[in-house]
Amino acid sequence: MTHFQQHHDVGVGRYGLADIDLPYSSLQKILLLPLNYDVESRGPHVRRILQASNVFSSLYDLEKSIQPLLSTIESRGLIVAERWFSDVLPKRQDELNRTIEEISKYVLVEGNEIDTSRVTDFLIRNDLPAANDNDKFQMYRNLHPLYELLLKNNKQQQFLKQWGNKLLAEGRRTESGVVIKGNWQSFSSYSGRMFCKQLPLTSLPKAVREFITSPDERVILSLDFNNAELRILAYYSKCTKLLEQFEIGEDIHFQTGTMIAQAIGLKDANVAVIRKTGKQFAFALLYGAGTSMIVNNLRKLVPTVTSATVSQLVTAFFKTYPEVHLFLDNLEKDSHLLTPFGRIKPLATFKPTQKRNYPFQSSIAVAVKQLMLIANKRFDVVHVIHDEIWILAPTREPTVVEEVIEEFYHQLLNILPDFPISGFIKVEPIGGNTHEHG
């Protein structure tokens, strides 16, 4: 019995009079109910669910505890340095203009708009495959330079629209920079993930992150989970090989990527590409992607990859980690969902791949929220992105950050005993900090 289960066995009566509404969270998703379930008119029934279930009461209590934090994060926002708008965005616009000039060597371009019918005509005339989306442009990029140029143009246009014009329209200029805010929601999915709407601040690209600035003399530090999904997989599946690799600090993604590179003939790739390939492959298997999807992903690197090659890679991966294969298969067949607080049967309908996905996302969400609460005792938590949180920290107190991490590890081991915590959290400075940490 975990610390949380003991706690909830004692306090089962406390939901009787309390207001169970959570302004930043969805009760339907916390309790795994269909989304059309009317929680408001069935308050007594919802309270009974919370009183009867250690799993749901633990999820609910954790969610209730982070509501004030989400309110503070939402009202504070983030500050983007003025240099992003005055220096970087104009350069990005120049890059887009140069891309359009290159495209105009093959297809007539009027203004900044690419006429898709002219593109299609050009491709057909040159006996090339018709393509009108980024996936196809990526797949055919080695057949003709136009494909890669069109892919580049689409990405540049979208980036400038989202992280240039929209930021200026939605943001508020101050002496420190442009303050950007979004609308926060926890349990944006059934698994408990946090998401920021209006402005997708939970998907800040790296280029923008580098220009996020502190509002004062403190620095912004990222407390980021390292290999969260694979650690959770190793823990739940009790996979001996994976647990050993985490214990000795091996780079699992690089090893997987090396196996893939050798099998598909990926030559002269750097370490970053090999590691990214291994990570994408492992995540694809983790979340139930089929052979065809994995083939399409690998063909972005090597167009000649076949289904047979991918089947051999999948077999080799599961041969290395046999407990993983059995665990993932059992997840899909189980009528219950696996949470960090125990198994629970949902009333909402879940597809096999969603059952497979749930324990990883749910466990990360719970861990992030626990880390937020612990860090908030000593620092200001200013942002959350999937499996990392950002804090405002004095420049000369690294030991306090280490104490936060140690307290978090202790709390996590209360929930998930024997979890592979060695090296789990990485600490890095974020954005336009002018002071060095420690």
Side-chain angles (χ1 to χ4, degrees), residues 80-92 168 173 178 211:
V80 184
E82 184 63 40
R83 288 186 302 116
W84 172 254
F85 302 96
S86 61
D87 297 345
V88 180
L89 285 178
K91 292 177 183 176
R92 291 261 178 169
L168 284 174
R173 269 200 159 93
V178 176
F211 287 85

Side-chain angles (χ1 to χ4, degrees), residues 214-336:
S214 170
D216 51 39
E217 293 299 305
R218 292 172 292 178
V219 295
I220 303 175
L221 297 180
S222 162
L223 276 56
D224 187 7
F225 291 163
N226 180 26
N227 278 330
E229 284 91 348
L230 280 186
R231 288 174 190 269
I232 292 163
L233 177 64
Y235 173 81
Y236 284 133
S237 68
K238 296 180 173 59
C239 178
T240 305
K241 175 70 172 175
L242 266 181
L243 290 169
E244 286 177 353
Q245 287 178 295
F246 281 121
E247 184 65 30
I248 63 177
E250 285 188 4
D251 189 337
I252 298 163
H253 290 316
F254 179 73
Q255 291 189 352
T256 304
T258 300
M259 174 190 75
I260 295 167
Q262 292 171 349
I264 68 176
L266 182 60
K267 299 177 180 179
D268 302 323
N270 61 34
V271 171
V273 170
I274 289 175
R275 192 177 188 281
K276 183 179 179 181
T277 303
K279 184 175 182 179
Q280 289 176 337
F281 180 80
F283 278 21
L285 293 183
L286 201 64
Y287 294 128
T291 300
S292 59
M293 183 176 291
I294 298 174
V295 168
N296 288 338
N297 286 339
L298 291 180
R299 279 180 178 168
K300 294 173 184 178
L301 294 170
V302 179
T304 56
V305 171
T306 66
S307 298
T309 307
V310 170
S311 295
Q312 291 169 1
L313 286 170
V314 171
T315 300
F317 185 87
F318 285 136
K319 187 176 180 180
T320 305
Y321 308 113
E323 299 97 332
V324 167
H325 196 190
L326 178 63
F327 171 71
L328 293 176
D329 280 351
N330 287 339
L331 281 180
E332 293 188 357
K333 298 169 186 174
D334 200 342
S335 60
H336 289 63

